[in-house]
Amino acid sequence: MKKTVFAAAMITGLGLSAAALPAMAYEAGDWLVRGRVINVAPNDDSGRLYLNDTTSLGEGVKVDTDTVPELDITYMITRNWGLELILGFSEHNVSVHKAAESNARGAGLTGSSQVIESKVLPPTLLLQYHFRPDGDVRPYVGAGINYTYFFDEKVPSDSLVAAAGDDIKLDSSWGLAVQAGVDVALNEDWFVNFDVKYIDIDTEAHFKNTAVNRLRINADIDPFVWGIGIGRRF
């Protein structure tokens, strides 16, 4: 009798302990939806400013950072493998370093060092591997492809290289992307997410009808994207 009561108590205790932990396990067919706040921090701000496609005014293009919301959706193909689509856009200013600014002034250009304002839409598709689909802490890595579309490009009114209203277009970009992150379970369906991505983004800006005819700027943006957010499994 005592052994029966003890066994029943052990079973009850184990059941309560298991219930106290987040009972979260990824399964094939699950959808994971995350909302993040991300910081887009360009890693390589090098570039060149060209006058009439021939004269280089030297190294010196830099791209600023931006902090924005982001939405991503992951479909679990198996318990370990998933496909993630990242959606969101950021806004960046492109300016020139002092060395390039000095060269530009030597070429007869005047104005501020800021030369471009543009919004950036970089949809990214990643194949992920989740290491611990049954754990409460679930690290993952991913790799995939990025397409970056630049839109709403503007020339600031006091730009060094052009005037407001001048024609400007930034080329779209295709590149690779890699990521690492972790989901931390809050309960059966909700979790906190931490994520970092590196995205290969290269572009070239073309100015037309400026006071000095044609100007061209190339830039390697290649940002690290740091994110923190919350997600839910469906």
Side-chain angles (χ1 to χ4, degrees):
M1 181 66 177
K2 289 183 179 180
K3 289 183 178 180
T4 303
V5 172
F6 179 74
M10 287 291 291
I11 293 172
T12 302
L14 290 172
L16 290 174
S17 298
L21 295 174
M24 181 183 177
Y26 294 157
E27 300 292 343
D30 282 351
W31 292 89
L32 311 177
V33 179
R34 303 179 182 89
R36 299 190 187 107
V37 175
I38 60 170
N39 178 258
V40 183
N43 177 56
D44 186 350
D45 59 10
S46 66
R48 284 185 177 273
L49 177 63
Y50 294 92
L51 175 63
N52 292 326
D53 292 330
T54 56
T55 304
S56 172
L57 301 181
E59 299 287 340
V61 175
K62 58 183 178 180
V63 183
D64 70 352
T65 65
D66 195 17
T67 300
V68 294
E70 178 200 72
L71 175 69
D72 79 80
I73 302 170
T74 298
Y75 176 73
M76 297 303 295
I77 304 169
T78 70
R79 302 183 71 244
N80 293 97
W81 291 96
L83 277 176
E84 180 183 72
L85 178 64
I86 299 168
L87 302 171
F89 76 91
S90 56
E91 187 169 1
H92 299 274
N93 295 325
V94 179
S95 57
V96 296
H97 287 299
K98 289 186 177 180
E101 182 178 344
S102 176
N103 290 337
R105 296 193 190 285
L109 305 179
T110 60
S112 73
S113 61
Q114 186 174 324
V115 294
I116 304 170
E117 297 174 356
S118 178
K119 293 183 174 65
V120 181
L121 179 67
T124 305
L125 183 65
L126 297 154
L127 178 64
Q128 297 176 329
Y129 183 80
H130 296 256
F131 292 96
R132 302 177 68 240
D134 294 321
D136 298 325
V137 178
R138 305 182 181 191
Y140 60 85
V141 294
I145 191 167
N146 162 263
Y147 172 75
T148 298
Y149 175 71
F150 297 88
F151 66 101
D152 198 19
E153 302 101 319
K154 297 177 182 178
V155 178
S157 59
D158 59 345
S159 170
L160 173 68
V161 299
D166 283 346
D167 293 337
I168 175 180
K169 180 59 183 174
L170 277 77
D171 293 340
S172 299
S173 169
W174 288 92
L176 299 178
V178 293
Q179 75 175 156
V182 61
D183 294 327
V184 180
L186 297 175
N187 57 34
E188 183 175 354
D189 293 314
W190 290 90
F191 54 91
V192 175
N193 174 257
F194 303 91
D195 184 273
V196 60
K197 291 180 285 292
Y198 175 81
I199 304 175
D200 176 27
I201 301 176
D202 304 321
T203 189
E204 193 167 80
H206 302 271
F207 298 81
K208 297 179 181 178
N209 302 325
T210 69
V212 290
N213 202 357
R214 289 179 301 175
L215 289 165
R216 177 165 55 91
I217 295 173
N218 64 5
D220 301 326
I221 301 174
D222 300 343
F224 282 102
V225 181
W226 305 89
I228 181 172
I230 191 166
R232 191 181 191 282
R233 181 185 64 161
F234 293 91

